[in-house]
Amino acid sequence: MTAEEAPLDPEQPIIDAHLHLWDISPASGPAEFPHRFLLSDANQTIERSGQRITHSIYVECHAMYRRDGPPEMRPVGEVEFANGQAAMSASGRYGACRMAERIVGNADLSLGTAVKPVLEALSAAGGERFCGVRNRTAFSAAGLFGSPGDPGLQDRLRDTQFQAGARILADMGLCLDVWCVHRQLDSLADLADALPDLCIVLDHIGTPELRGTGPDHVAEVQADWRTKISHLALRPNVAIKLGGLGMDISRPIGSVAGTVSSETLADLWRPWFEYCIDAFSPRRCMFESNFPPDRAAGTYGATWNAFKRIARQYSADEKEQLFRQTAAKTYGITSL
């Protein structure tokens, strides 16, 4: 087991805006290695880090779908699972963190208006913890996590049926988390324009696609990403999660665990995160661990220490927004 770093600013309260729980079996598919990360595992990870994580947001990861029933209703099983883990956490017997205090589930928004019964079932399963959904929208021609890209996802954010489903989400007062790669960010801006009343959260800063060759490749990608991020930030209904740069999108999830120090991670991530904070302001930015996928870079403690190193230049109020208040406001957490 890799040694943890001592926590920086250990009294800083944190809402982890993006934390998964799952139990992946060997039969789950080529893009995932067998891996267990349930409530007790997550609590142990947090406790070893010494970080003061007060709450976490559960984000869908195709965990515990129902085996039977209509396909569109099977994701309800994931919200039932997450809510059960949250109920265990709320008992106080499993650690100080209120795990899965809010739950982002999955519903196929391409059903259009027919998605409403699914959203109602998800809401019933999650109660007050259920706050929104995330769909599969990320597309890369180079593939993701060892699997080929699905061309059907490339323009999904602009699909009229998808937008009709997202409109139901907005009408119900729910949020839409979106993971897409940076080449899709203009499509996300169009969605935000089409649905100005929909709360949209961009995960993983829009995942810059850094795979490629040539000495100028990274600089070219960063320039293109910056242009698209600045364009997206003009939409007041969009918030952004600062994280996700630790996951390795070229290899199966769970196939590697990194040991990079927080100093090195901060140096690597600072140009990307600072640009997001400048574009969106701390009021619309929130730090996320994206664990377990970001374990590919470093430990949980190193990840949060890296965020704290990056945040040192900001005021106490701005830090509070980045580490806690933006996530609380976005996902409706009042028990701070």
Side-chain angles (χ1 to χ4, degrees):
M1 183 180 296
T2 304
E4 265 292 13
E5 296 186 6
L8 303 175
D9 305 322
E11 295 307 310
Q12 171 67 57
I14 296 167
I15 294 177
D16 188 338
H18 200 107
L19 185 71
H20 300 295
L21 299 170
W22 58 34
D23 191 357
I24 299 171
S25 70
S28 293
E32 298 172 320
F33 275 35
H35 186 236
R36 178 173 176 165
F37 196 74
L38 297 175
L39 176 63
S40 60
D41 307 297
N43 275 323
Q44 288 173 12
T45 297
I46 290 170
E47 289 172 3
R48 282 199 302 267
S49 75
Q51 304 288 339
R52 189 183 170 194
I53 312 296
T54 62
H55 306 73
S56 77
I57 309 299
Y58 177 94
V59 181
E60 66 84 29
C61 49
H62 300 274
M64 306 299 180
Y65 278 22
R66 292 175 175 173
R67 183 176 62 182
D68 303 312
E72 67 273 14
M73 286 291 183
R74 291 178 187 174
V76 176
E78 179 167 23
V79 172
E80 292 171 328
F81 154 69
N83 202 26
Q85 297 278 285
M88 291 173 65
S89 177
S91 74
R93 295 177 57 190
Y94 298 89
C97 175
R98 294 289 292 264
M99 205 73 67
E101 183 71 2
R102 291 295 180 267
I103 299 168
V104 177
N106 187 12
D108 183 2
L109 296 181
S110 65
L111 292 169
T113 56
V115 78
K116 187 172 183 180
V118 181
L119 294 174
E120 290 172 340
L122 292 168
S123 184
E128 67 177 8
R129 294 188 181 100
F130 177 68
C131 61
V133 302
R134 183 174 74 163
N135 268 193
R136 287 183 65 227
T137 51
F139 169 77
S140 170
L144 293 168
F145 305 121
S147 292
D150 179 356
L153 301 178
Q154 186 169 6
D155 295 313
R156 194 175 197 193
L157 294 167
R158 285 192 168 119
D159 179 75
T160 55
Q161 279 290 96
F162 182 91
Q163 293 192 4
R167 187 170 288 108
I168 300 297
L169 202 64
D171 291 344
M172 294 178 67
L174 300 169
C175 292
L176 176 65
D177 263 59
V178 173
W179 179 44
C180 63
V181 302
H182 85 275
R183 293 187 178 92
Q184 298 173 285
L185 289 174
D186 289 340
S187 296
L188 183 58
D190 290 345
L191 177 66
D193 286 340
L195 297 169
D197 295 329
L198 176 64
C199 170
I200 298 173
V201 182
L202 174 62
D203 297 345
H204 317 331
I205 71 165
T207 305
E209 283 216 78
L210 298 174
R211 290 174 290 180
T213 59
D216 300 323
H217 175 72
V218 173
E220 290 169 357
V221 168
Q222 189 170 46
D224 186 40
W225 171 84
R226 285 183 171 185
T227 298
K228 295 180 188 305
I229 283 291
S230 294
H231 181 62
L232 181 64
L234 298 175
R235 280 73 189 167
N237 56 324
V238 181
I240 189 168
K241 290 182 180 178
L242 309 178
L245 291 184
M247 65 180 174
D248 186 346
I249 62 174
S250 69
R251 291 191 280 186
I253 293 174
S255 61
V256 63
T259 58
V260 180
S261 70
S262 63
E263 294 94 335
T264 300
L265 292 175
D267 289 343
L268 290 170
W269 297 345
R270 182 176 286 108
W272 304 91
F273 293 169
E274 286 182 348
Y275 194 86
C276 291
I277 295 169
D278 287 344
F280 281 85
S281 85
R283 292 181 298 103
R284 290 193 287 148
C285 293
M286 62 193 97
F287 284 118
E288 51 151 344
S289 74
N290 189 39
F291 258 57
D294 272 38
R295 183 66 181 89
T299 65
Y300 193 79
T303 296
W304 284 105
N305 277 351
F307 296 160
K308 289 175 177 179
R309 291 179 188 278
I310 293 167
R312 279 176 174 168
Q313 64 177 297
Y314 299 101
S315 70
D317 180 65
E318 289 169 332
K319 289 179 185 177
E320 180 69 5
Q321 292 177 64
L322 293 167
F323 285 102
R324 192 164 69 144
Q325 291 294 340
T326 299
K329 180 179 179 181
T330 300
Y331 292 111
I333 294 177
T334 57
S335 56
L336 297 180

